[in-house]
């Protein structure tokens, strides 16, 4: 297995998000990815870790609007020139107040895409690749940032892979991937399947309902499994089996996993009851699909245990 990682993400480190009009300290911190890398290295995986290659901005444009890309680039540059450049929330192209622009936001988001595309390209040679990217991507829509996401790493990789056949995206982050759903909503050649907290009680609130099934040519190629707060391993496993069956029936050429660890029982912003050993089980179920698989990091905010969760997951993939 190969792991794609770049240290550039560390430069993107916002202080705050705004929830209900109040500043709340930012959960999506650099330590997340650093803890995972440390734990994988500790377990003898250093030789698996590869640096990303650089990809042209036109790959980002395959999914996002050019005005949106420029806005993030210029906004980051503008912030870098300011005194006290702690980041700011833009008035345009946003879904919420969880994705501020800071001096290195564009650079980090761009490198995060480089990581997912490097992984996608390597899938020809390696059956399973784990992309340790940050900032995450699945809440980023074609022209809207939000939920700690700017460029949709998984969607850009899926778009790239779709040139060689149908792609399935399995989203197991605690939150619904509203961005990925929106980007492929009218496409029959990319199937989006997501398990997540019921949007009536959890972020992103406005998408992720069971009746969102795709539109036009994409009708029937979007499947949401909203789950209640407090979902147990037994219940989660049943639904994951259903999701895997749908993917199997679809017969894709490759699989992209939007992989969040905020489903963990001790996640500070999650609300499911999954334990560390359960992630190995989940990964085995995914591995059982026997598809070229690109695992793209999304959320997961328990800094203390993230490394152990990731290692459990990696064991199941191997
Ligand atoms: N108290 C991802 O996991 N903040 N984004 C919610 C709850 C936004 C999550 C605050 C959560 C965004 C990639
Ligand atoms: Zn999440």
């Amino acid at each position: 297995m190969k792991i794609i990682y770049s240290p550039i993400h560390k430069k993107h480190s916002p202080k705050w998000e705004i929830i209900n009009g109040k500043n709340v300290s930012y959960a999506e911190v650099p330590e997340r990815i650093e803890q995972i890398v440390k734990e994988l290295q500790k377990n003898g995986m250093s030789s698996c870790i590869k640096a990303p290659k650089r990809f042209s901005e036109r790959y980002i444009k395959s999914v996002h609007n050019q005005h949106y890309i420029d806005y993030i680039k210029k906004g980051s540059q503008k912030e870098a020139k300011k005194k006290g450049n702690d980041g700011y929330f833009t008035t345009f192209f946003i879904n919420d107040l969880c994705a501020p622009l800071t001096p290195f936001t564009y650079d980090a988001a761009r490198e995060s895409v480089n990581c997912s595309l490097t992984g996608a390209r390597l899938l020809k040679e390696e059956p399973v690749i784990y992309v340790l990217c940050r900032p995450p991507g699945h809440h980023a829509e074609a022209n809207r940032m939000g939920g700690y996401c700017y460029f949709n790493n998984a969607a850009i990789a899926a778009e790239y892979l779709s040139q060689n056949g149908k792609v399935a995206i399995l989203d197991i982050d605690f939150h619904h991937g509203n961005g990925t759903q929106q980007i492929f909503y009218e496409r029959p050649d990319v199937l989006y399947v997501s398990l997540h907290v019921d949007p009536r009680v959890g972020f992103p609130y406005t998408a992720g309902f069971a009746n969102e099934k795709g539109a036009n040519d994409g009708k029937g190629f979007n499947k949401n499994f909203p789950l209640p707060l407090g979902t147990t391993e037994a219940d989660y496993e049943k639904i994951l089996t259903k999701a895997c069956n749908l993917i199997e029936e679809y017969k894709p050429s490759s699989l992209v996993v939007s992989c969040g660890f905020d489903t963990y029982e001790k996640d500070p912003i999650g609300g499911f009851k999954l334990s560390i050993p359960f992630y190995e089980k989940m990964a085995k179920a995914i591995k059982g699909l026997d598809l070229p698989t690109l695992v793209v990091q999304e959320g997961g905010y328990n800094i203390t245990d993230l490394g152990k969760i990731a290692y459990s997951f990696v064991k199941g993939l191997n």
Side-chain angles (χ1 to χ4, degrees), residues 155-182:
I156 295 166
E159 171 63 29
Y160 175 91
L161 291 167
S162 74
Q163 293 163 359
N164 292 311
K166 293 192 293 183
V167 180
I169 302 173
L170 174 64
D171 192 327
I172 54 172
D173 187 278
F174 175 73
H175 307 98
H176 176 252
N178 57 293
T180 314
Q181 168 171 301
Q182 182 233 19

PDB file of all heavy atoms in Angstrom, residues 155-182:
ATOM      1  N   ALA A 155     -13.746  14.349  -5.161  1.00  0.00           N
ATOM      2  CA  ALA A 155     -14.485  14.547  -6.420  1.00  0.00           C
ATOM      3  C   ALA A 155     -13.522  14.771  -7.587  1.00  0.00           C
ATOM      4  O   ALA A 155     -13.748  14.263  -8.687  1.00  0.00           O
ATOM      5  CB  ALA A 155     -15.444  15.731  -6.287  1.00  0.00           C
ATOM      6  N   ILE A 156     -12.463  15.517  -7.348  1.00  0.00           N
ATOM      7  CA  ILE A 156     -11.484  15.778  -8.417  1.00  0.00           C
ATOM      8  C   ILE A 156     -10.796  14.463  -8.813  1.00  0.00           C
ATOM      9  O   ILE A 156     -10.606  14.188 -10.004  1.00  0.00           O
ATOM     10  CB  ILE A 156     -10.473  16.864  -7.982  1.00  0.00           C
ATOM     11  CG1 ILE A 156     -11.203  18.208  -7.796  1.00  0.00           C
ATOM     12  CG2 ILE A 156      -9.336  17.006  -9.003  1.00  0.00           C
ATOM     13  CD1 ILE A 156     -10.412  19.277  -7.056  1.00  0.00           C
ATOM     14  N   ALA A 157     -10.481  13.634  -7.836  1.00  0.00           N
ATOM     15  CA  ALA A 157      -9.880  12.320  -8.130  1.00  0.00           C
ATOM     16  C   ALA A 157     -10.890  11.428  -8.865  1.00  0.00           C
ATOM     17  O   ALA A 157     -10.532  10.739  -9.826  1.00  0.00           O
ATOM     18  CB  ALA A 157      -9.413  11.648  -6.838  1.00  0.00           C
ATOM     19  N   ALA A 158     -12.150  11.459  -8.430  1.00  0.00           N
ATOM     20  CA  ALA A 158     -13.189  10.631  -9.072  1.00  0.00           C
ATOM     21  C   ALA A 158     -13.399  11.073 -10.516  1.00  0.00           C
ATOM     22  O   ALA A 158     -13.549  10.240 -11.421  1.00  0.00           O
ATOM     23  CB  ALA A 158     -14.492  10.707  -8.285  1.00  0.00           C
ATOM     24  N   GLU A 159     -13.407  12.382 -10.732  1.00  0.00           N
ATOM     25  CA  GLU A 159     -13.551  12.916 -12.090  1.00  0.00           C
ATOM     26  C   GLU A 159     -12.403  12.422 -12.981  1.00  0.00           C
ATOM     27  O   GLU A 159     -12.615  11.970 -14.099  1.00  0.00           O
ATOM     28  CB  GLU A 159     -13.587  14.451 -12.030  1.00  0.00           C
ATOM     29  CG  GLU A 159     -13.531  15.169 -13.365  1.00  0.00           C
ATOM     30  CD  GLU A 159     -14.727  14.875 -14.259  1.00  0.00           C
ATOM     31  OE1 GLU A 159     -15.817  14.605 -13.719  1.00  0.00           O
ATOM     32  OE2 GLU A 159     -14.559  14.894 -15.490  1.00  0.00           O
ATOM     33  N   TYR A 160     -11.201  12.473 -12.445  1.00  0.00           N
ATOM     34  CA  TYR A 160     -10.009  11.984 -13.162  1.00  0.00           C
ATOM     35  C   TYR A 160     -10.154  10.486 -13.481  1.00  0.00           C
ATOM     36  O   TYR A 160      -9.937  10.059 -14.620  1.00  0.00           O
ATOM     37  CB  TYR A 160      -8.779  12.246 -12.285  1.00  0.00           C
ATOM     38  CG  TYR A 160      -7.476  11.711 -12.811  1.00  0.00           C
ATOM     39  CD1 TYR A 160      -6.649  12.491 -13.613  1.00  0.00           C
ATOM     40  CD2 TYR A 160      -7.049  10.425 -12.479  1.00  0.00           C
ATOM     41  CE1 TYR A 160      -5.443  11.999 -14.083  1.00  0.00           C
ATOM     42  CE2 TYR A 160      -5.843   9.926 -12.940  1.00  0.00           C
ATOM     43  CZ  TYR A 160      -5.042  10.715 -13.748  1.00  0.00           C
ATOM     44  OH  TYR A 160      -3.849  10.230 -14.214  1.00  0.00           O
ATOM     45  N   LEU A 161     -10.560   9.703 -12.497  1.00  0.00           N
ATOM     46  CA  LEU A 161     -10.690   8.253 -12.694  1.00  0.00           C
ATOM     47  C   LEU A 161     -11.837   7.900 -13.629  1.00  0.00           C
ATOM     48  O   LEU A 161     -11.808   6.860 -14.288  1.00  0.00           O
ATOM     49  CB  LEU A 161     -10.898   7.558 -11.340  1.00  0.00           C
ATOM     50  CG  LEU A 161      -9.684   7.566 -10.399  1.00  0.00           C
ATOM     51  CD1 LEU A 161     -10.095   7.135  -8.991  1.00  0.00           C
ATOM     52  CD2 LEU A 161      -8.569   6.657 -10.935  1.00  0.00           C
ATOM     53  N   SER A 162     -12.842   8.773 -13.717  1.00  0.00           N
ATOM     54  CA  SER A 162     -14.024   8.462 -14.535  1.00  0.00           C
ATOM     55  C   SER A 162     -13.700   8.443 -16.026  1.00  0.00           C
ATOM     56  O   SER A 162     -14.500   7.976 -16.837  1.00  0.00           O
ATOM     57  CB  SER A 162     -15.162   9.451 -14.242  1.00  0.00           C
ATOM     58  OG  SER A 162     -14.893  10.714 -14.814  1.00  0.00           O
ATOM     59  N   GLN A 163     -12.529   8.948 -16.382  1.00  0.00           N
ATOM     60  CA  GLN A 163     -12.106   8.867 -17.786  1.00  0.00           C
ATOM     61  C   GLN A 163     -11.803   7.425 -18.194  1.00  0.00           C
ATOM     62  O   GLN A 163     -11.761   7.101 -19.374  1.00  0.00           O
ATOM     63  CB  GLN A 163     -10.862   9.739 -18.024  1.00  0.00           C
ATOM     64  CG  GLN A 163     -11.178  11.216 -17.879  1.00  0.00           C
ATOM     65  CD  GLN A 163      -9.941  12.075 -17.702  1.00  0.00           C
ATOM     66  OE1 GLN A 163      -8.815  11.583 -17.663  1.00  0.00           O
ATOM     67  NE2 GLN A 163     -10.152  13.363 -17.586  1.00  0.00           N
ATOM     68  N   ASN A 164     -11.586   6.559 -17.195  1.00  0.00           N
ATOM     69  CA  ASN A 164     -11.290   5.151 -17.484  1.00  0.00           C
ATOM     70  C   ASN A 164     -12.378   4.196 -17.028  1.00  0.00           C
ATOM     71  O   ASN A 164     -12.114   3.043 -16.738  1.00  0.00           O
ATOM     72  CB  ASN A 164      -9.964   4.754 -16.821  1.00  0.00           C
ATOM     73  CG  ASN A 164      -8.787   5.455 -17.471  1.00  0.00           C
ATOM     74  OD1 ASN A 164      -8.653   5.456 -18.689  1.00  0.00           O
ATOM     75  ND2 ASN A 164      -7.974   6.093 -16.669  1.00  0.00           N
ATOM     76  N   GLY A 165     -13.611   4.681 -16.920  1.00  0.00           N
ATOM     77  CA  GLY A 165     -14.713   3.807 -16.531  1.00  0.00           C
ATOM     78  C   GLY A 165     -15.489   4.369 -15.354  1.00  0.00           C
ATOM     79  O   GLY A 165     -15.111   5.371 -14.771  1.00  0.00           O
ATOM     80  N   LYS A 166     -16.572   3.679 -15.026  1.00  0.00           N
ATOM     81  CA  LYS A 166     -17.452   4.155 -13.954  1.00  0.00           C
ATOM     82  C   LYS A 166     -16.727   4.167 -12.610  1.00  0.00           C
ATOM     83  O   LYS A 166     -15.903   3.302 -12.324  1.00  0.00           O
ATOM     84  CB  LYS A 166     -18.673   3.234 -13.834  1.00  0.00           C
ATOM     85  CG  LYS A 166     -19.606   3.283 -15.043  1.00  0.00           C
ATOM     86  CD  LYS A 166     -20.930   2.576 -14.741  1.00  0.00           C
ATOM     87  CE  LYS A 166     -20.758   1.084 -14.554  1.00  0.00           C
ATOM     88  NZ  LYS A 166     -22.058   0.396 -14.333  1.00  0.00           N
ATOM     89  N   VAL A 167     -17.079   5.150 -11.784  1.00  0.00           N
ATOM     90  CA  VAL A 167     -16.456   5.293 -10.464  1.00  0.00           C
ATOM     91  C   VAL A 167     -17.547   5.281  -9.395  1.00  0.00           C
ATOM     92  O   VAL A 167     -18.590   5.923  -9.557  1.00  0.00           O
ATOM     93  CB  VAL A 167     -15.673   6.622 -10.367  1.00  0.00           C
ATOM     94  CG1 VAL A 167     -15.021   6.781  -8.994  1.00  0.00           C
ATOM     95  CG2 VAL A 167     -14.616   6.722 -11.465  1.00  0.00           C
ATOM     96  N   ALA A 168     -17.299   4.556  -8.320  1.00  0.00           N
ATOM     97  CA  ALA A 168     -18.177   4.640  -7.146  1.00  0.00           C
ATOM     98  C   ALA A 168     -17.455   5.420  -6.061  1.00  0.00           C
ATOM     99  O   ALA A 168     -16.249   5.262  -5.878  1.00  0.00           O
ATOM    100  CB  ALA A 168     -18.529   3.247  -6.641  1.00  0.00           C
ATOM    101  N   ILE A 169     -18.205   6.275  -5.376  1.00  0.00           N
ATOM    102  CA  ILE A 169     -17.658   6.996  -4.225  1.00  0.00           C
ATOM    103  C   ILE A 169     -18.419   6.519  -2.996  1.00  0.00           C
ATOM    104  O   ILE A 169     -19.653   6.596  -2.964  1.00  0.00           O
ATOM    105  CB  ILE A 169     -17.826   8.522  -4.369  1.00  0.00           C
ATOM    106  CG1 ILE A 169     -17.146   9.013  -5.648  1.00  0.00           C
ATOM    107  CG2 ILE A 169     -17.250   9.244  -3.140  1.00  0.00           C
ATOM    108  CD1 ILE A 169     -17.414  10.485  -5.951  1.00  0.00           C
ATOM    109  N   LEU A 170     -17.695   6.002  -2.024  1.00  0.00           N
ATOM    110  CA  LEU A 170     -18.298   5.616  -0.750  1.00  0.00           C
ATOM    111  C   LEU A 170     -17.841   6.630   0.291  1.00  0.00           C
ATOM    112  O   LEU A 170     -16.647   6.771   0.545  1.00  0.00           O
ATOM    113  CB  LEU A 170     -17.842   4.203  -0.361  1.00  0.00           C
ATOM    114  CG  LEU A 170     -18.289   3.717   1.027  1.00  0.00           C
ATOM    115  CD1 LEU A 170     -19.806   3.603   1.120  1.00  0.00           C
ATOM    116  CD2 LEU A 170     -17.631   2.374   1.365  1.00  0.00           C
ATOM    117  N   ASP A 171     -18.803   7.351   0.866  1.00  0.00           N
ATOM    118  CA  ASP A 171     -18.470   8.410   1.832  1.00  0.00           C
ATOM    119  C   ASP A 171     -18.833   7.938   3.232  1.00  0.00           C
ATOM    120  O   ASP A 171     -20.011   7.789   3.570  1.00  0.00           O
ATOM    121  CB  ASP A 171     -19.247   9.686   1.466  1.00  0.00           C
ATOM    122  CG  ASP A 171     -18.755  10.919   2.207  1.00  0.00           C
ATOM    123  OD1 ASP A 171     -18.313  10.777   3.369  1.00  0.00           O
ATOM    124  OD2 ASP A 171     -18.815  12.024   1.631  1.00  0.00           O
ATOM    125  N   ILE A 172     -17.795   7.690   4.050  1.00  0.00           N
ATOM    126  CA  ILE A 172     -18.042   7.180   5.413  1.00  0.00           C
ATOM    127  C   ILE A 172     -17.667   8.202   6.487  1.00  0.00           C
ATOM    128  O   ILE A 172     -17.549   7.859   7.658  1.00  0.00           O
ATOM    129  CB  ILE A 172     -17.301   5.834   5.653  1.00  0.00           C
ATOM    130  CG1 ILE A 172     -15.814   5.974   5.337  1.00  0.00           C
ATOM    131  CG2 ILE A 172     -17.929   4.724   4.808  1.00  0.00           C
ATOM    132  CD1 ILE A 172     -14.984   4.757   5.743  1.00  0.00           C
ATOM    133  N   ASP A 173     -17.492   9.457   6.085  1.00  0.00           N
ATOM    134  CA  ASP A 173     -17.327  10.526   7.076  1.00  0.00           C
ATOM    135  C   ASP A 173     -18.644  10.636   7.868  1.00  0.00           C
ATOM    136  O   ASP A 173     -19.706  10.288   7.372  1.00  0.00           O
ATOM    137  CB  ASP A 173     -17.020  11.838   6.344  1.00  0.00           C
ATOM    138  CG  ASP A 173     -16.672  12.984   7.272  1.00  0.00           C
ATOM    139  OD1 ASP A 173     -17.601  13.628   7.814  1.00  0.00           O
ATOM    140  OD2 ASP A 173     -15.472  13.242   7.466  1.00  0.00           O
ATOM    141  N   PHE A 174     -18.549  11.133   9.103  1.00  0.00           N
ATOM    142  CA  PHE A 174     -19.746  11.326   9.945  1.00  0.00           C
ATOM    143  C   PHE A 174     -20.749  12.275   9.289  1.00  0.00           C
ATOM    144  O   PHE A 174     -21.960  12.144   9.474  1.00  0.00           O
ATOM    145  CB  PHE A 174     -19.301  11.886  11.305  1.00  0.00           C
ATOM    146  CG  PHE A 174     -20.422  12.250  12.235  1.00  0.00           C
ATOM    147  CD1 PHE A 174     -21.168  11.263  12.874  1.00  0.00           C
ATOM    148  CD2 PHE A 174     -20.729  13.578  12.486  1.00  0.00           C
ATOM    149  CE1 PHE A 174     -22.211  11.601  13.743  1.00  0.00           C
ATOM    150  CE2 PHE A 174     -21.762  13.928  13.360  1.00  0.00           C
ATOM    151  CZ  PHE A 174     -22.501  12.933  13.988  1.00  0.00           C
ATOM    152  N   HIS A 175     -20.232  13.232   8.521  1.00  0.00           N
ATOM    153  CA  HIS A 175     -21.087  14.244   7.887  1.00  0.00           C
ATOM    154  C   HIS A 175     -21.371  13.886   6.426  1.00  0.00           C
ATOM    155  O   HIS A 175     -20.522  13.294   5.759  1.00  0.00           O
ATOM    156  CB  HIS A 175     -20.400  15.617   7.936  1.00  0.00           C
ATOM    157  CG  HIS A 175     -19.964  16.022   9.303  1.00  0.00           C
ATOM    158  ND1 HIS A 175     -18.662  15.860   9.744  1.00  0.00           N
ATOM    159  CD2 HIS A 175     -20.651  16.584  10.329  1.00  0.00           C
ATOM    160  CE1 HIS A 175     -18.569  16.305  10.985  1.00  0.00           C
ATOM    161  NE2 HIS A 175     -19.752  16.755  11.371  1.00  0.00           N
ATOM    162  N   HIS A 176     -22.530  14.296   5.949  1.00  0.00           N
ATOM    163  CA  HIS A 176     -22.845  14.060   4.546  1.00  0.00           C
ATOM    164  C   HIS A 176     -21.936  14.898   3.642  1.00  0.00           C
ATOM    165  O   HIS A 176     -21.693  16.073   3.915  1.00  0.00           O
ATOM    166  CB  HIS A 176     -24.302  14.441   4.266  1.00  0.00           C
ATOM    167  CG  HIS A 176     -24.682  14.319   2.831  1.00  0.00           C
ATOM    168  ND1 HIS A 176     -24.904  15.403   2.020  1.00  0.00           N
ATOM    169  CD2 HIS A 176     -24.845  13.223   2.050  1.00  0.00           C
ATOM    170  CE1 HIS A 176     -25.210  14.977   0.798  1.00  0.00           C
ATOM    171  NE2 HIS A 176     -25.179  13.664   0.793  1.00  0.00           N
ATOM    172  N   GLY A 177     -21.458  14.309   2.548  1.00  0.00           N
ATOM    173  CA  GLY A 177     -20.598  15.025   1.601  1.00  0.00           C
ATOM    174  C   GLY A 177     -21.435  15.797   0.590  1.00  0.00           C
ATOM    175  O   GLY A 177     -21.523  15.431  -0.584  1.00  0.00           O
ATOM    176  N   ASN A 178     -22.015  16.883   1.044  1.00  0.00           N
ATOM    177  CA  ASN A 178     -22.924  17.668   0.185  1.00  0.00           C
ATOM    178  C   ASN A 178     -22.239  18.138  -1.101  1.00  0.00           C
ATOM    179  O   ASN A 178     -22.872  18.215  -2.154  1.00  0.00           O
ATOM    180  CB  ASN A 178     -23.482  18.869   0.962  1.00  0.00           C
ATOM    181  CG  ASN A 178     -22.392  19.763   1.520  1.00  0.00           C
ATOM    182  OD1 ASN A 178     -21.647  19.331   2.407  1.00  0.00           O
ATOM    183  ND2 ASN A 178     -22.270  20.968   1.010  1.00  0.00           N
ATOM    184  N   GLY A 179     -20.945  18.429  -1.010  1.00  0.00           N
ATOM    185  CA  GLY A 179     -20.225  18.908  -2.197  1.00  0.00           C
ATOM    186  C   GLY A 179     -20.125  17.815  -3.247  1.00  0.00           C
ATOM    187  O   GLY A 179     -20.451  18.029  -4.424  1.00  0.00           O
ATOM    188  N   THR A 180     -19.703  16.646  -2.826  1.00  0.00           N
ATOM    189  CA  THR A 180     -19.543  15.528  -3.762  1.00  0.00           C
ATOM    190  C   THR A 180     -20.898  15.155  -4.370  1.00  0.00           C
ATOM    191  O   THR A 180     -21.004  14.922  -5.576  1.00  0.00           O
ATOM    192  CB  THR A 180     -18.931  14.323  -3.024  1.00  0.00           C
ATOM    193  OG1 THR A 180     -17.833  14.789  -2.237  1.00  0.00           O
ATOM    194  CG2 THR A 180     -18.465  13.277  -3.992  1.00  0.00           C
ATOM    195  N   GLN A 181     -21.922  15.122  -3.538  1.00  0.00           N
ATOM    196  CA  GLN A 181     -23.267  14.823  -4.045  1.00  0.00           C
ATOM    197  C   GLN A 181     -23.663  15.828  -5.130  1.00  0.00           C
ATOM    198  O   GLN A 181     -24.125  15.453  -6.209  1.00  0.00           O
ATOM    199  CB  GLN A 181     -24.290  14.861  -2.906  1.00  0.00           C
ATOM    200  CG  GLN A 181     -25.737  14.850  -3.411  1.00  0.00           C
ATOM    201  CD  GLN A 181     -26.760  14.660  -2.306  1.00  0.00           C
ATOM    202  OE1 GLN A 181     -26.741  13.666  -1.593  1.00  0.00           O
ATOM    203  NE2 GLN A 181     -27.687  15.609  -2.166  1.00  0.00           N
ATOM    204  N   GLN A 182     -23.475  17.097  -4.835  1.00  0.00           N
ATOM    205  CA  GLN A 182     -23.882  18.142  -5.791  1.00  0.00           C
ATOM    206  C   GLN A 182     -23.119  18.016  -7.111  1.00  0.00           C
ATOM    207  O   GLN A 182     -23.694  18.119  -8.193  1.00  0.00           O
ATOM    208  CB  GLN A 182     -23.627  19.527  -5.172  1.00  0.00           C
ATOM    209  CG  GLN A 182     -24.060  20.674  -6.070  1.00  0.00           C
ATOM    210  CD  GLN A 182     -22.954  21.698  -6.317  1.00  0.00           C
ATOM    211  OE1 GLN A 182     -21.770  21.425  -6.118  1.00  0.00           O
ATOM    212  NE2 GLN A 182     -23.353  22.871  -6.770  1.00  0.00           N
TER     213      GLN A 182
END
